[in-house]
Amino acid sequence: MDVYRAIVSKRDRRRYSAQPIDDERLGRIVQAARMAGSARDAQPVRLVVIRNVAQREALAACGRSTDHVRTCQVAIAIVLIPEAGVVGAPFAIFRGPFDAGRAAQNLMLAAWGEGIATCPASMHDAEAARLVLGLPEGHVVANVITLGFPDAGEERPVRPRMPIDDYAHYETW
């Protein structure tokens, strides 16, 4: 699947089949996240890949509307590490979440290119999520992305998007 097709056809899915994700596909997905750009090449993003059901159950308890963390085949926590090569804290505050988003989008598009559906999950209890994952102090879970082959019973129609002329403005508003 080419990149544009992956972008316009990808839909978040919260229901997955029981088919396991093989190591080769998962490796490509993780590599795609790793290759996301990073402001000033600080690389403040790390991943925690979770296959273990009990670990996913514990992580799901850290958020709301997170049943898909329990039922996916793999969950990947996108973690921000503090002050990764940063000169000046204010820059770190703004750069880290953007870099996490870039890694998440790469990960989700690479997964979709492999035929694997994804869905983000917010960890509303950040401290509990940090403890579940055994993260060092100061590390924060930016988001968790669930992965699994799509459940055939869950078709996701394309919801209409706003007209392009309302969305994009050129030169001025």
Side-chain angles (χ1 to χ4, degrees), residues 124-147:
H124 298 93
D125 187 340
E127 181 60 12
R130 184 185 74 78
L131 294 173
V132 165
L133 295 174
L135 302 179
E137 189 76 32
H139 289 51
V140 176
V141 177
N143 213 312
V144 172
I145 309 298
T146 59
L147 295 85

Side-chain angles (χ1 to χ4, degrees), residues 34-46 81 84-86 91 95 99 102:
R34 186 176 79 89
M35 295 308 297
S38 175
R40 294 191 183 175
D41 199 27
Q43 301 181 52
V45 175
R46 302 294 186 276
I81 63 172
V86 174
F91 186 68
R95 184 205 52 242
D99 284 359
R102 294 168 82 180

Side-chain angles (χ1 to χ4, degrees), residues 142-159:
N143 213 312
V144 172
I145 309 298
T146 59
L147 295 85
F149 287 95
D151 181 341
E154 185 195 31
E155 287 303 317
R156 300 299 304 249
V158 176
R159 291 183 181 164

Side-chain angles (χ1 to χ4, degrees), residues 60-77:
C62 301
R64 296 185 293 273
S65 300
T66 56
D67 284 342
H68 57 299
V69 176
R70 291 179 175 87
T71 60
C72 66
Q73 293 300 310
V74 176
I76 299 179

Side-chain angles (χ1 to χ4, degrees), residues 48 50-60 69 131-134:
V48 178
I50 307 128
R51 288 184 184 259
N52 180 278
V53 176
Q55 186 72 343
R56 291 195 326 264
E57 291 268 346
L59 190 59
V69 176
L131 294 173
V132 165
L133 295 174

